[in-house]
Each structure stands twice: as structure tokens, then as C-alpha cells.
Amino acid sequence: MLEIEQVKKIIEAGVSEKVQQARTYADLLNMHVTGLNVDKHIEEFTNFESKQQKAIRKRLQKSNKSTFSFLLRPLDKIFTAKGGVISYNLSETQIEDLKLFINDVSDGLNIKNFLKKIVKTQYIIDPNGFVMVDVDLEGNLETKIFNSKDYIWSETRGNEVKAIVFNPFKNDDKEDEREFYRVIDNKTDSIYVKDGDSIYLDESSVLENFFGKVPAYILGDIKDPNTDLFISLIDDILEDAKELLRDVSIKTLHKLSHGYTKYWQRPEACTNCGGEGEVKGKDDEGQIIDVICPSCQGKKIKTHKDVSDVTIVPIPNDGEQDIAPNIGGFISPDMAIWNKYDEDVAKIRATMYQTLWGATYSIDAKNDTATGKLLNVQPQAERVTGVSETFSNLHKFILDCNGKVILFKKDYSSEVSYGTRYLMESPDELLQKCIDAKSSNLPIYLQNDLLEKYYQTEHTNNNQEYIKSKKIIATDPFPNMTANELKDLGVADEEVMLKIYHPQWVTQLSDAKKVLMNEEELRQDLKEYVKSKTIIKNKENELQQRTS
């Protein structure tokens, strides 16, 4: 528990050095990931560019926002991975009561969506921020994100916050110059007041800390070996990100300065002034005078032409060279240096991806949709698993805090483990693996596993379609074998007929049946379909025999 004199010294000192470092670091991360204040991070190349060129680069600077959006896309797999478990360790009635409350922990989001849509980005851009489950004056729970800019001092141990002093705030009375500091430790939640040089505890504000600890969990999961701060997942690629930011700005400036085709033509006399540079006009008194030609601005030649203008080229005399068509043309920009800029930028991005995930990403140029694919899935899956553990812990923390208050059980504890069966490969890649597994006669259980992964990936964002597909697979007798293969093995005729008619049955099956029927009911429906087809086939055979 913090002593009063200790808190006073903290408030007098202001923002601690550690917190200031965390804020500076968060600003840098935020700039790269979201593009905030990117213009403040423009480097000046004193010996290579003028102030005007730097000003242009600053005005046209493109951030790394799109690059990091792509680089961090694998983190989405944390929330779509198959498997995982959430054990509430409660009775069915208590589980239902708890679920009712945690369906909206913040902004109408349940815990998992809150972590995915709000916390995930904060985890990257401010690893020294934290999630906090707060209780307002009316006893309602609020789950919030606090950034490193929201507090001036903290005492931590691992991801736990032992004590914290938040930024000062003022009351609604504009004439009141006092500052108020919220302070939380394992015993109390209180307000300290700074009135001029005086700092004191507001005794009426002191509340018992129901949780017995600060209900906060720090987002970061990687400790800087040189400081006591958490560093971001993208820390290893920050230098590359800085280089990318610089190279893209130079490339943009080059495009504007040298990327336009330069047109040229041989001089032609201005048609308005006849090449004199002046035309007749009137002065204010109405007198006829010579004035500068408004078309050529006194240059005597055409400075621009309309598309309907025709250039008259004289017919050359004997022995004269015909100048047509060399009366005009254009100079193309240097594409070699332009392509080099593109190559360098692409190379930096590829290096960043490989450094971050340990995997190489390639674009299949032969595919009309330019589908990207990972050349080595395993290292990426291993790194995503590490992040998944952090989000499992965050989920458990939020669930436990809510459970303690809602159930009024201070010792409440759940168990949360996110799935680790990540769908890294595309449906096309998995389908090809299924085909290869079949042709290579791999064990049936491996073929079934690949087929299951294919349907999971194909319907990643549509669980209802996945469930329907899973039911259909379950009704297919021997899904990895053909009807002829079944006959060769001596499988019963009834099963062979089910196999033969299964594709036709699926085609005519309604969506309502796929959704409402369970696997056993669908199998029975398949049998009825085959039975009807067999009866029709038998009648056709009888009729054919009679007519012959």
C-alpha cells in the first residue's frame, strides 16, 4: 500500500522518467502503425536537398499505415483459430448470468470482439498501456484501455499493476485551480488534491479496493533487456520502417519532379500577333496603341496548342531534307531509376515481413488475382501462438474481474485458452494438398484432416456455411474413395449406391434441410433419395424388358 508521503512525492515529481520513455516510444509506434503526426518525423538531408524540397516531401509524405496493416494481418488469425476452450468453473445458472453481463464489456462488444477491435491495435502501438476493469460510482463495470499518456507513475510486476497514479484532472468549476489525482493500490482507490504548493489526501474519497489489487493488466509481453519497459511486437523492424518512410518520400518527390513526360516542338509564330509579340489595342483614352499579345505574352511564338491546331510543314525542294515528322516529340522520364525505387521499397517490405514473422511472403504472378502465399507457415504460426497466449490472458483477466463483481466472489477464477489451429494457407493451397494426398495414397486420417482444414479455411468468416459443409461430408460414405474403389473392395451394394447418388442428392438438397437437419437425419434423407432412384431405375428396366 502506498503511504501518503510517498504519493505526495510522486505528484510533486510529475511524470516519471520511465513513463516519459514509454510515451515517447508509443508516439513512434503510433506514427508508423496509424500514420499519426507522420509529418513530424521527416528527416532533413541538408547536403542533398533544399528546404523547398523538404517542404514538398513533408506535404506529400505517405505514412507506413498501409504497410503495417498488411504486416499485422496474421494477428487476425488469433480470433479465427479453431480449438480453444473457455471454462467458467460455474453452475449452468451462474454461467448464464455471467454471460448476460459480459456480452457488453465496452462499446457494445463482448470480450473477444473488444480484444480484436480495440485492444489488438493498442497492444502494438502502446505495450506499456493497460486494460482496466473499473467500477464507477453507481457500481457499474467499465472495461477501458489506458495509454501510457494517461498516468504519471506506476509500480508494476510483470503484467500486474501494483499501484498507479493517473494524470491530474480538474472539476467543472473553471475558477477552481486545484488539480485532482486518482491513486489506486491494493488497498484503496482515492483522490489526492494539489492546491498550489499543498498536496493532501481527500479523506472523503477513499474507497476500499474490492479487487484487492489494481484491476489492470499491462498489454505488452516482451521486456526490453536494456530498460524496465515492455517493447512492441514490431520493435525489431522499426529501423526498417524508418528507412521505408524515407525512401517512399524520396520516391514520391522523384515522381513529381521527374515523372512527367516532357513535350517539345519546333517554334511556330504566334497566330494571334503573327510573331510580332504585339497587337493593336486602345489605351484608356481610346487611342490606338501597341499592346503585348495576350496569346503568347509577347514571346512571339506559340507556347501551347489546342488539339485541333494543324502544323503546316512546307514541301521540301529538291535536295532538301524533309523535317517531318521531327517537328515535335517528347522525352520519357528515366524509368530505370523509377523501377529501382520500386524494387528497393518492395525489398524493405519483404525484409520487414520476414523479420517479423520468420516467413517469406510471395505474390503468385501466374494467378489472375495475384494471390499471396506463405512459403513457410510454421515460424509464423509459432509467433502468432505467443501473441495468442497474451490475448488468452487478457480475456481471462477481464472475465475474472467481471465474475468477481457480478457473482460477488473475490476468489473467482476462470480458465481461458484460445485455439492454435491457425488457417494460414489459402483454400486453393489446401485443396491442392487434398488432391496430392489422394494421389499419393496417404493415410485416410491425414486426407480427412486436410479436407477438414480446407472447409474451415473456405468458410473462415461464415460459420453457418462451415457447419453445413461439415454435415454434408459426414453423410458421404467413404469421402476419400470412389464408387469403383468401393466395388473393388467388396463393399456392400447399398453403400456403393449411397456413394454413387451422393453428389446428385447434395445438388437437390435445400438449404433449409442442411441447416435444420442433423447428420443422422440427413443420412436418412440420402437413403430415401437413393431408394426412390432405385425404384425408378428398376421400373425402367422392367419396361425395357417388356418392350424388347
Side-chain angles (χ1 to χ4, degrees), residues 73-313:
R73 193 64 62 193
L75 292 182
D76 292 341
K77 302 294 183 182
I78 293 172
F79 306 98
T80 58
K82 301 301 178 181
V85 63
I86 297 177
S87 179
Y88 292 90
N89 299 326
L90 298 169
S91 67
E92 290 297 326
T93 302
Q94 289 175 316
I95 290 175
E96 292 303 317
D97 291 341
L98 182 55
K99 282 185 175 180
L100 183 64
F101 280 93
I102 63 174
N103 194 47
D104 179 4
V105 296
S106 179
D107 296 329
L109 302 173
N110 60 29
I111 296 177
K112 201 162 192 176
N113 282 331
F114 172 68
L115 293 175
K116 177 182 179 181
K117 297 181 178 181
I118 297 178
V119 178
K120 182 178 62 139
T121 300
Q122 294 296 328
Y123 163 78
I124 296 295
I125 66 176
D126 195 354
N128 295 285
F130 54 86
V131 172
M132 180 169 165
V133 179
D134 206 359
V135 182
D136 63 20
L137 295 177
E138 298 177 356
N140 298 317
L141 290 175
E142 298 178 293
T143 304
K144 302 177 181 177
I145 283 284
F146 287 89
N147 298 317
S148 53
K149 290 185 177 180
D150 294 323
Y151 61 95
I152 65 170
W153 177 91
S154 69
E155 179 184 345
T156 62
R157 182 181 180 184
N159 289 89
E160 292 184 6
V161 179
K162 309 296 288 185
I164 190 164
V165 180
F166 289 93
N167 284 349
F169 63 92
K170 292 189 175 183
N171 61 29
D172 296 333
D173 185 358
K174 295 182 178 180
E175 295 183 358
D176 190 348
E177 296 295 328
R178 293 178 300 170
E179 293 181 336
F180 302 86
Y181 293 80
R182 185 184 182 188
V183 180
I184 308 176
D185 57 25
N186 62 321
K187 296 291 185 181
T188 62
D189 185 341
S190 56
I191 300 295
Y192 280 74
V193 182
K194 183 178 182 181
D195 187 1
D197 294 331
S198 175
I199 300 175
Y200 58 90
L201 170 64
D202 181 356
E203 298 286 352
S204 65
S205 72
V206 180
L207 299 174
E208 179 187 356
N209 187 339
F210 171 83
F211 297 100
K213 63 179 183 180
V214 180
Y217 194 95
I218 299 173
L219 300 179
D221 51 16
I222 307 172
K223 275 281 190 172
D224 186 343
N226 301 311
T227 68
D228 192 32
L229 293 173
F230 283 97
I231 56 177
S232 175
L233 180 71
I234 63 173
D235 187 79
D236 288 343
I237 59 174
L238 287 180
E239 290 181 354
D240 291 322
K242 180 180 179 180
E243 182 180 357
L244 178 64
L245 197 68
R246 179 180 65 240
D247 284 5
V248 169
S249 70
I250 294 173
K251 172 189 169 185
T252 301
L253 184 61
H254 175 83
K255 284 170 64 177
L256 289 173
S257 302
H258 308 290
Y260 293 99
T261 299
K262 298 184 182 300
Y263 297 93
W264 65 271
Q265 68 179 48
R266 300 188 186 281
E268 295 181 41
C270 173
T271 53
N272 187 50
C273 65
E276 297 297 327
E278 296 179 339
V279 294
K280 297 298 182 181
K282 292 184 178 180
D283 59 16
D284 294 339
E285 298 178 355
Q287 299 295 318
I288 302 298
I289 59 173
D290 292 329
V291 297
I292 295 175
C293 174
S295 295
C296 66
Q297 302 299 318
K299 295 180 180 178
K300 303 181 180 181
I301 58 175
K302 288 184 177 181
T303 55
H304 66 276
K305 301 179 69 173
D306 295 326
V307 294
S308 59
D309 286 352
V310 176
T311 299
I312 305 299
V313 181

Side-chain angles (χ1 to χ4, degrees), residues 369-472:
T369 58
T371 303
K373 62 181 180 181
L374 283 172
L375 302 185
N376 189 356
V377 175
Q378 190 61 31
Q380 178 172 306
E382 290 173 355
R383 184 133 204 199
V384 172
T385 297
V387 181
S388 180
E389 291 176 2
T390 296
F391 279 83
S392 296
N393 293 335
L394 284 165
H395 191 130
K396 172 179 166 57
F397 165 77
I398 297 172
L399 178 56
D400 287 355
C401 286
N402 278 269
K404 291 176 190 294
V405 176
I406 294 166
L407 303 171
F408 207 73
K409 293 179 61 176
K410 292 186 177 182
D411 61 345
Y412 174 70
S413 179
S414 63
E415 296 175 18
V416 179
S417 177
Y418 279 9
T420 56
R421 190 169 182 176
Y422 307 112
L423 307 176
M424 298 290 187
E425 297 160 295
S426 69
D428 290 343
E429 289 176 284
L430 286 171
L431 182 58
Q432 186 59 51
K433 283 189 175 183
C434 290
I435 296 171
D436 294 342
K438 170 66 177 174
S439 62
S440 301
N441 291 320
L442 291 180
I444 295 298
Y445 73 90
L446 287 179
Q447 295 183 39
N448 289 339
D449 185 63
L450 286 171
L451 190 61
E452 172 76 3
K453 284 183 177 179
Y454 165 73
Y455 280 107
Q456 287 177 350
T457 307
E458 180 70 17
H459 304 301
T460 298
N461 299 313
N462 192 334
N463 195 52
Q464 187 175 10
E465 285 299 320
Y466 166 67
I467 293 173
K468 288 192 293 184
S469 297
K470 194 172 181 180
K471 288 180 182 179
I472 297 303

Side-chain angles (χ1 to χ4, degrees), residues 31-35 62-73 244 248 349:
M31 180 274 296
H32 282 300
V33 175
T34 72
K62 179 182 178 181
S63 74
N64 288 333
K65 183 177 180 179
S66 63
T67 295
F68 276 95
S69 177
F70 166 71
L71 291 175
L72 297 172
R73 193 64 62 193
L244 178 64
V248 169
R349 285 176 173 152

